[in-house]
Amino acid sequence: MMNPPRHSKNPTTASCRQLIRVLALLCAIGHSLAMAGEQVLVEGILDAEVHKFNEYSFAPFSSDGDIFILGQLQLWSAWQISPGFQAYALGEIATVEAEGNRTTDSEIQQAALRYSSNPGNSGNSSAFYFIEAGKIVPPIAIASERRLSTQNPLIGQPDLLYAQYPLGIQVAGSLDWLDYRAALVDLPLIDPEYLPSEPGSALRPDVGFGITPLTGLRLGVAHTKGPYLNNNVNADLPPGSDWKDYDQRVWGLEFQFSRGYAELNSELVFTRYDVPFQTESTDVMAYFVEFKYTLTPRFYCAFRLERNEYPLVYDGGVSYWFAQKVTVHSVEIGLGYRFSPDTQFKLAYRHDYGDEAYGMGGYGDDEYGGGAYGTPDLYPLGHSLALQLSHHFDVVSWFQADK
Amino acid sequence: MSGNLQTRLRAPAVTITFWLALSLFLLPAGVHAQSDMPTATGTILGQVLISRKLASKRMRFRLYPGFKPLPPPTGVEGIDDERANVVIYLKSVPLTAVAPASGDAPQIKQVGETFVPHVLPIVQGTTVDFPNQDPIFHNVFSLSGTKSFDLGRYPKGDSRSVTFEQTGIVPVFCHLHSNMSAIVLVLDNSFFSTPNAEGRYRIEGIPAGTYTVVGWHERSEPVEQQVEVLAGQVVELNIVIPIADDEPSAP
């Protein structure tokens, strides 16, 4: 599932054409290299989704009760430059249609060079690390690594750590039962919907480690700290301060357990924001618990409980900054059916509600059926129903077989 | 009275013992006669040649590598090893000639994030074990119409079993590691063989008759050839498994 359109950039036809050209080029290169027997991989996922919301749903796609249709292609390619060295890129193009309007968006989300200490010579080695640099997925949230529709047991995504694709460098690996990762990235994990503007680019550390005391159980912690505003707000800040003086600090706890036909993933995140002119920081907490159970070889079911506190940081001009917390609870239940190992269908129902309905008209009025500032009915109950058909494909394999 | 009773009880026991002894005497003789009938069966042997493209390796890559090392590249190091993924079998064998499955349950191990062997030919009705020898979970499954199953996640040292009742091709995968795959080729008879490293194969004990010999590889169309097996004779039959625009390898 793509990032919510309410966060997406304006449609850019030129960039779409450019992306299509790039992807076509990848396919052509994949074909050529496959024919030459070289080390190349070109894979993709094609998603088709239909969503139906009621007026007040807090689901990622808000279309005021209309039916929302999404078509999305994610395509990635990797090259084995030399043993241990790989270059890879992932691009996404998505078309959404709601209320008679069609919007197309595209983005190169990941593009990086990766060096692995183990270039695939020993799958049983207990020590392993990799270094990658470029446009990467930040290593803070485990959910971000399970965002592809083939990995996500539901259709919606956990919203506690918004998926950004920063520029950065990362080192990660494992040593027996210990895993670790450390990165320097230039963007925070934050939903720009709740900020005065898109976060600016500034280096911040992301660190984390985890332990696997027994197979199938992993406990992890993560932390990051860095600026979350941008230089557009400098004029509204206290004299002598800079947007980089105001930090977002994140502490994350990760829990993963699986056994037999059951799989549990959970994440708890505390986030603290420094807000200009405010003597106290704004603290928010979010978590999700996601459970999946395989019923038969083809059928599985899943649910996700989610609680998100969103920090609405408001820049009302010089000396007029404040932040409000908005709490939204969500539950999503779904049923999946596998037509084949590469093709699956999902049906999911999502229910949202807010128990602390405070906010500002400027953020909530149009999109969330909101009322005036401070009214308790800003986030009434909402629900949505969604269908998703996703198919994974491997371009190189098309050229390596005779049938 | 008691003596009569003893006699009456002993009489059937003696009878059973007699027939059991006779059966034990005759049974091995029969088996021996069947397996020692050089005049009734023949042998097919030969060389398997395959396209170089069938041995092409696949790159290992994980978009989100997690914290575990990458497994070895899929496929094999060379064309010689790829011949191990070829199966030569007889099609349309008369039921009377079908040998039953025997011996220990064959295995497909999960080791180094790879299914070993990659291709396993079996006779229908055979139970296959799937032991996990990796220090991580695997989740073996198949959605094949021939046999669908999901073995769930189990740790190193554990094993699960599946019995394959129907003939057909059963692709096997791991939910957790998309680069893992294997194939169980369920056949209706035991007259099959896998070439050795030199590409030589041999199928023995074939009742005299005319058969279709099939050379099978997962990425190629099956290659079929007719052959007549004469009693007590050895038939030499080379199998070439091509991909249209590639030359087969030299042995």
Side-chain angles (χ1 to χ4, degrees), chain A residues 183-378:
Chain A
L184 272 177
V185 297
D186 74 336
L187 287 175
L189 277 165
I190 195 166
D191 188 340
E193 176 74 13
Y194 306 105
L195 297 178
S197 57
E198 293 269 348
S201 176
L203 283 182
R204 59 161 53 211
D206 286 2
V207 293
F209 70 90
I211 57 170
T212 303
L214 55 96
T215 305
L217 173 64
R218 182 182 174 276
L219 306 167
V221 295
H223 175 66
T224 183
K225 175 192 171 188
Y228 69 98
L229 299 172
N230 73 15
N231 59 10
N232 293 337
V233 303
N234 272 343
D236 296 336
L237 298 178
S241 68
D242 183 78
W243 67 279
K244 292 183 180 176
D245 296 334
Y246 300 91
D247 281 338
Q248 175 214 45
R249 300 172 181 81
V250 178
W251 293 268
L253 297 172
E254 304 149 3
F255 177 82
Q256 296 170 284
F257 177 75
S258 61
R259 182 86 191 190
Y261 299 103
E263 182 183 353
L264 184 69
N265 284 282
S266 181
E267 204 156 351
L268 174 68
V269 175
F270 295 93
T271 310
R272 172 166 289 176
Y273 294 89
D274 298 334
V275 181
F277 296 105
Q278 300 296 310
T279 54
E280 292 187 1
S281 58
T282 297
D283 298 339
V284 294
M285 184 193 75
Y287 66 80
F288 77 85
V289 178
E290 180 184 284
F291 180 76
K292 177 188 173 188
Y293 190 81
T294 300
L295 301 167
T296 73
R298 292 186 186 275
F299 277 106
Y300 61 88
C301 61
F303 75 85
R304 184 189 300 120
L305 296 174
E306 197 174 351
R307 178 188 188 273
N308 291 298
E309 275 184 345
Y310 297 99
L312 292 172
V313 177
Y314 184 70
D315 172 14
V318 176
S319 79
Y320 190 66
W321 284 75
F322 62 91
Q324 290 279 309
K325 288 191 282 189
V326 175
T327 306
V328 176
H329 297 250
S330 303
V331 59
E332 183 173 354
I333 58 173
L335 194 63
Y337 180 82
R338 298 178 188 280
F339 291 99
S340 74
D342 289 325
T343 306
Q344 58 184 320
F345 172 80
K346 296 177 204 165
L347 169 68
Y349 173 78
R350 174 177 168 138
H351 197 107
D352 309 300
Y353 58 95
D355 60 353
E356 294 178 27
Y358 302 99
M360 293 150 292
Y363 283 90
D365 264 354
D366 298 333
E367 208 164 346
Y368 309 124
Y373 166 63
T375 58
D377 60 347
L378 187 62

Side-chain angles (χ1 to χ4, degrees), chain B residues 137-179:
Chain B
F137 273 148
H138 290 295
N139 191 152
V140 183
F141 77 102
S142 177
L143 299 178
S144 166
T146 301
K147 181 71 180 181
S148 69
F149 59 89
D150 188 321
L151 302 183
R153 301 176 182 208
Y154 50 94
K156 182 177 184 177
D158 277 12
S159 182
R160 302 284 186 275
S161 299
V162 178
T163 300
F164 296 84
E165 305 288 0
Q166 296 180 33
T167 59
I169 298 169
V170 183
V172 177
F173 303 98
C174 174
H175 273 309
L176 307 179
H177 307 101
S178 58
N179 49 348

Side-chain angles (χ1 to χ4, degrees), chain A residues 114 120 174 260-261 298 402, chain B residues 62 67 72 143 150 153 219:
Chain A
R114 180 186 292 169
S174 63
Y261 299 103
R298 292 186 186 275
D402 201 30
Chain B
R62 289 187 189 133
F67 312 106
L143 299 178
D150 188 321
R153 301 176 182 208
R219 293 199 300 276

Side-chain angles (χ1 to χ4, degrees), chain B residues 36-147:
Chain B
D36 201 26
M37 283 194 308
T39 56
T41 65
T43 297
I44 302 175
L45 56 79
Q47 180 74 38
V48 174
L49 305 174
I50 60 174
S51 291
R52 284 187 294 269
K53 279 183 186 169
L54 293 176
S56 58
K57 283 190 289 185
R58 294 298 316 283
M59 177 183 173
R60 293 276 199 178
F61 175 75
R62 289 187 189 133
L63 204 52
Y64 307 113
F67 312 106
K68 294 299 178 188
L70 284 172
T74 35
V76 291
E77 291 305 315
I79 201 159
D80 291 346
D81 292 334
E82 186 60 36
R83 292 194 188 96
N85 295 328
V86 172
V87 178
I88 310 297
Y89 65 90
L90 300 192
K91 207 164 121 180
S92 307
V93 174
L95 284 177
T96 52
V98 173
S102 61
D104 295 335
Q107 291 186 336
I108 293 184
K109 301 172 190 169
Q110 302 138 60
V111 52
E113 284 189 37
T114 307
F115 286 120
V116 179
H118 177 66
V119 174
L120 179 68
I122 59 169
V123 184
Q124 66 182 121
T126 301
T127 297
V128 177
D129 293 337
F130 292 88
N132 181 4
Q133 298 183 355
D134 278 337
I136 53 176
F137 273 148
H138 290 295
N139 191 152
V140 183
F141 77 102
S142 177
L143 299 178
S144 166
T146 301
K147 181 71 180 181

Side-chain angles (χ1 to χ4, degrees), chain A residues 125-155:
Chain A
S125 171
S126 61
F128 163 72
Y129 70 89
F130 70 88
I131 304 170
E132 64 180 2
K135 200 169 187 185
I136 60 176
V137 169
I140 277 293
I142 56 170
S144 63
E145 296 195 348
R146 298 165 53 251
R147 70 191 183 87
L148 299 176
S149 60
T150 49
Q151 299 296 315
N152 180 7
L154 293 160
I155 300 175

